[in-house]
Amino acid sequence: MEEHSVIESFEMKLNESAKDFLKETAKWAYFLSILGYIGIGFIIFAALFAGTLFSAMGKMNPTMGAMGSSFGIMMAVVYFLIAVLYFFPVYYLNKFASNAKAAFKNNDSETLTTSLEYLKSHYKYIGIMTLVVFSLYLLMFVGMIVAGIASSTV
């Protein structure tokens, strides 16, 4: 017969305070996810009209020439990419909130586990994106230093 350690057989129980904290967290997460979806809608709206706006600016300012419309297309693509990148953390946050609400409503620990998995995915995505952005900042900083050194030696 195998002996299980105390840690392996340990099952965590949530007291009422912890349940209340998670319920309130789910409510705020749901609210923030709805705002996130609205923000994504605004970003997509801006992407759709970026081409039109820059094309009109190109016609108003003849010195811009064809650059106005091509710049508008480029900006539309950038805005769509930003919307796609922004979608995933909002989606994970929404899934956490809706699953957590359902878990407490139905007293279902499996659904609560699923909701916490979505919360983990949300923070993992945010963490990776933060590392990517800080890496880009570092590369830009190094690039500016190199450009400064190169321009001072000329």
Side-chain angles (χ1 to χ4, degrees):
M1 180 167 85
E2 284 185 39
E3 284 189 40
H4 293 286
S5 71
V6 175
I7 294 173
E8 289 174 352
S9 63
F10 174 75
E11 186 176 326
M12 188 181 300
K13 305 274 187 208
L14 296 176
N15 63 22
E16 287 306 310
S17 293
K19 289 179 184 178
D20 289 340
F21 293 147
L22 273 173
K23 286 177 189 176
E24 188 171 346
T25 301
K27 288 177 186 176
W28 281 106
Y30 188 75
F31 172 72
L32 290 173
S33 70
I34 296 301
L35 289 180
Y37 284 133
I38 292 170
I40 291 169
F42 281 131
I43 292 170
I44 291 172
F45 184 75
L48 293 174
F49 290 101
T52 307
L53 177 69
F54 284 104
S55 177
M57 287 174 58
K59 289 176 185 173
M60 290 169 45
N61 187 356
T63 58
M64 287 182 75
M67 189 181 93
S69 61
S70 62
F71 186 69
I73 293 169
M74 186 179 75
M75 288 305 296
V77 169
V78 167
Y79 274 102
F80 276 123
L81 287 175
I82 290 170
V84 168
L85 288 174
Y86 192 44
F87 172 78
F88 291 103
V90 171
Y91 172 76
Y92 293 142
L93 194 62
N94 184 271
K95 293 298 281 183
F96 157 71
S98 57
N99 280 320
K101 284 180 176 182
F104 287 114
K105 182 179 180 183
N106 302 325
N107 200 23
D108 183 5
S109 62
E110 191 65 35
T111 306
L112 182 62
T113 302
T114 302
S115 74
L116 292 173
E117 184 179 355
Y118 280 114
L119 186 64
K120 176 211 56 115
S121 296
H122 169 77
Y123 280 110
K124 185 176 179 180
Y125 189 93
I126 296 292
I128 290 169
M129 287 306 298
T130 302
L131 287 174
V132 167
V133 168
F134 280 147
S135 298
L136 290 173
Y137 284 160
L138 181 64
L139 285 174
M140 288 190 304
F141 183 70
V142 169
M144 288 187 293
I145 290 174
V146 169
I149 291 172
S151 67
S152 67
T153 59
V154 174

